[in-house]
Amino acid sequence: MIGVLIADDQELVRLGLRALIAEEDGLTCVGEAADGLATVATAVRTRPDIVLMDIRMPGIDGLEATRRIVADPRLSATRVIVLTTFEHDRYVFDALRNGASGFLLKDTAPAELLRAIRTVADGGALMSPSVTRTLLREFVTLRPRTRLPHPQLHTLTDREREAVVLAAEGLANDEIGRRLRISTATARTHVSRAMVKLGARDRAQLVVFAYRSGLVD
């Protein structure tokens, strides 16, 4: 059973998400919170598998709440999916840098939301090509960056480095395989090994490392 914590300051949003989760086999809502501090406290108490995190909340916002959850060793198994409105929230890159495993637009279809929860709970990252390329490139363009190469970057093989670059561009494993003319399983292996070498919590953090290290322009 995948336990989900809902964090949003709008009661109607929480109600809708709770109802959606309640109807899905294998998912359960373990709690909800209307502000950032309550989200962190509830996460510590309930130990959810997934936190659906709004960005704009009172107290501390979703970015800081995400950072605190990810940094808490008691919540090492908890993953955060940030919920955002693309036209207004300019904080998605910060959310990923703070340890979020991905993000969804608030107008995401219910079926896609449920798939995302299962994907992230299984250790994947919500890096949809249709949104990832646009968002990350926009944030890179909007804010000047100082390149901070990862100290273990030199340990990557050429193939692993290529796979990381393509993952950072939003490609899934099967797409990486086609681009590099290797099997999907081999592409997955290259990405997984790169994550281990760089100490990436998940695929989302791997993408952040790639951008910060200057692997992707």
Side-chain angles (χ1 to χ4, degrees), residues 58-75:
I60 59 172
D61 63 17
L63 298 176
E64 176 61 18
T66 296
R67 188 192 67 78
R68 295 188 188 188
I69 288 172
V70 170
D72 193 324
R74 294 170 295 180
L75 299 173

Side-chain angles (χ1 to χ4, degrees), residues 150-171:
H150 193 286
Q152 297 301 315
L153 195 63
H154 68 281
T155 66
L156 298 183
T157 66
D158 290 341
R159 219 32 158 184
E160 289 165 355
R161 184 182 291 250
E162 290 174 332
V164 170
V165 169
L166 294 176
E169 292 179 355
L171 273 64

Side-chain angles (χ1 to χ4, degrees), residues 56-175:
R56 297 182 176 183
M57 293 188 292
I60 59 172
D61 63 17
L63 298 176
E64 176 61 18
T66 296
R67 188 192 67 78
R68 295 188 188 188
I69 288 172
V70 170
D72 193 324
R74 294 170 295 180
L75 299 173
S76 60
T78 297
R79 298 292 180 264
V80 177
I81 298 174
V82 169
L83 298 175
T84 182
T85 305
F86 175 67
E87 291 83 1
H88 302 295
D89 288 328
R90 300 294 186 179
Y91 309 114
V92 176
F93 189 75
D94 285 338
L96 296 177
R97 186 175 60 190
N98 284 348
S101 293
F103 54 85
L104 285 173
L105 304 184
K106 281 195 171 179
D107 60 357
T108 295
E112 185 177 344
L113 170 60
L114 295 172
R115 281 196 300 272
I117 290 172
R118 295 186 184 280
T119 295
V120 174
D122 285 340
L126 191 60
M127 305 300 292
S128 170
S130 63
V131 179
T132 303
R133 294 190 191 98
T134 302
L135 281 174
L136 291 182
R137 286 177 179 171
E138 178 170 343
F139 286 112
V140 167
T141 300
L142 287 175
R143 62 182 63 189
R145 287 183 305 143
T146 300
R147 291 187 176 183
L148 299 171
H150 193 286
Q152 297 301 315
L153 195 63
H154 68 281
T155 66
L156 298 183
T157 66
D158 290 341
R159 219 32 158 184
E160 289 165 355
R161 184 182 291 250
E162 290 174 332
V164 170
V165 169
L166 294 176
E169 292 179 355
L171 273 64
N173 289 331
D174 59 337
E175 296 172 310

